[in-house]
Amino acid sequence: MQAVTEKKFAAGLSITSNSIIIILKLIAGTISGSISIISEAIHSLSDFLASVLTFFAVMKSSEPADKTHPFGHGRYEDMSGFIEGGLIIAAAMYIIFESVKKIFLGFSMETESMIGIFVMAISVIANIVVSSYLFYVAKKTESVSLYADAKHLSTDVWTSFGILLGLVAIKITGIHLLDPIIAIAVACIILKAGFSISKTTLNNLLDGSIPDCELEKIKNIINSTDEKILGYKDLRATSSGAERKIEVTILFREDMVLRDCHAICDKLENNIRKSFANSLISIHAEPKKSLVAKQN
């Protein structure tokens, strides 16, 4: 219950901070005429929409399994993360479009850019604080949507900092062409983050396997749980939000009694759950006539 409360608070904090930052960036971008600041405002707007999606996903994924969702509501987090990735990509493409248009059609910036510098500095500090907290809660609760939101905000730290340096350079040199060039560089960073998030969450939505390192960890747990385990097969594992679904068939001697096999399977399940707390584990026991080496 405490984990759910932390997730809701983190998602709410993200919504609040993004709302304030969007307003400040729009004001600063309008006053200075800076395409990089306006682009960052658009990026922050995608952050805001993503934060709202995250809050919705956290609320839904925390609901217990029911008749229509017998395996729980973890997919809501994956869906939220996938949409967030799409929003990031869309924002980046728009920034590139507007920046290229400014380069070829020309533009003008107001000479007074101090308000832009001030706002971007605030944005950098705010995003460092909020994204760090979101990463902390996401890791603690294994929340996919909070992690995506934190990743989203962490890209803002670098993009805002880049724009901040660019505005300072423009202030010093008077070369306004730096503004759209910086915006394009920022968009490339945003694109990379968007594709990364979309790839991970789409893998979960399509029941893709968990990372190889996690599969290896499960294999090592099986191999070290009990010497009476002769081997295993059909090991499968996927993620649904913060929950992992793990299935495996364990091989025993054919003369072992059911009670002993069941006790070892319970022990194995507990060992797996120590490393993967939020897991739905299904273990099937199967007889094997001769002793064989455990699978790798």
Side-chain angles (χ1 to χ4, degrees):
M1 194 67 185
Q2 182 181 356
V4 174
T5 302
E6 281 188 285
K7 287 164 70 174
K8 289 179 180 178
F9 176 79
L13 176 64
S14 180
I15 291 173
T16 303
S17 66
N18 275 317
S19 299
I20 296 172
I21 289 173
I22 289 169
I23 294 172
L24 291 176
K25 285 179 181 177
L26 285 174
I27 293 173
T30 301
I31 293 175
S32 67
S34 169
I35 181 61
S36 58
I37 297 178
I38 294 175
S39 296
E40 260 298 279
I42 295 170
H43 183 207
S44 294
L45 180 60
S46 73
D47 286 345
F48 174 77
L49 295 175
S51 297
V52 173
L53 281 171
T54 298
F55 188 77
F56 167 75
V58 166
M59 294 286 286
K60 289 297 293 184
S61 65
S62 62
E63 294 179 2
D66 53 32
K67 186 176 181 180
T68 55
H69 296 85
F71 294 102
H73 298 78
R75 293 292 187 211
Y76 279 95
E77 290 209 38
D78 294 315
M79 179 186 68
S80 169
F82 182 70
I83 295 174
E84 283 189 42
L87 288 172
I88 295 174
I89 293 170
M93 296 301 293
Y94 179 79
I95 292 170
I96 292 173
F97 171 76
E98 286 296 325
S99 299
V100 170
K101 189 169 70 172
K102 290 289 184 182
I103 290 174
F104 286 99
L105 298 182
F107 69 103
S108 62
M109 282 179 62
E110 299 294 333
T111 55
E112 180 51 56
S113 57
M114 285 307 298
I115 185 172
I117 293 173
F118 177 72
V119 167
M120 297 315 296
I122 291 177
S123 177
V124 168
I125 295 171
N127 284 328
I128 287 175
V129 173
V130 176
S131 65
S132 296
Y133 180 69
L134 289 182
F135 274 126
Y136 166 75
V137 177
K139 183 177 180 180
K140 183 178 179 181
T141 62
E142 296 188 305
S143 171
V144 174
S145 57
L146 277 182
Y147 177 80
D149 200 21
K151 188 77 173 177
H152 203 158
L153 287 177
S154 68
T155 61
D156 263 6
V157 173
W158 294 105
T159 56
S160 296
F161 185 69
I163 290 173
L164 174 61
L165 292 180
L167 291 174
V168 172
I170 292 169
K171 184 72 174 177
I172 295 173
T173 65
I175 303 175
H176 292 170
L177 185 62
L178 289 172
D179 189 54
I181 292 175
I182 292 169
I184 292 174
V186 165
C188 291
I189 297 174
I190 297 171
L191 270 176
K192 183 179 179 182
F195 280 119
S196 175
I197 292 171
S198 296
K199 180 181 178 181
T200 300
T201 52
L202 182 61
N203 180 70
N204 291 346
L205 286 171
L206 297 178
D207 285 326
S209 179
I210 61 176
D212 288 341
C213 61
E214 293 188 2
L215 280 174
E216 284 300 321
K217 197 170 186 178
I218 295 172
K219 292 176 183 179
N220 291 334
I221 293 171
I222 295 172
N223 289 331
S224 61
T225 291
D226 195 290
E227 61 183 11
K228 293 179 181 178
I229 294 177
L230 303 184
Y232 62 88
K233 65 178 184 178
D234 301 331
L235 173 60
R236 298 184 297 177
T238 187
S239 293
S240 176
E243 186 180 65
R244 292 171 184 80
K245 298 176 181 178
I246 302 169
E247 295 181 4
V248 65
T249 297
I250 300 299
L251 306 177
F252 295 99
R253 293 197 321 268
E254 63 177 358
D255 60 348
M256 281 189 65
V257 297
L258 178 61
R259 181 181 63 250
D260 293 338
C261 292
H262 181 73
I264 293 173
C265 288
D266 282 346
K267 181 181 178 182
L268 174 58
E269 183 174 337
N270 291 331
N271 288 344
I272 294 175
R273 192 160 278 119
K274 287 177 183 177
S275 296
F276 303 96
N278 297 318
S279 299
L280 181 63
I281 305 170
S282 176
I283 301 175
H284 173 66
E286 187 173 297
K288 188 168 183 64
K289 293 183 179 180
S290 59
L291 182 62
V292 295
K294 295 180 178 123
Q295 295 180 19
N296 295 317

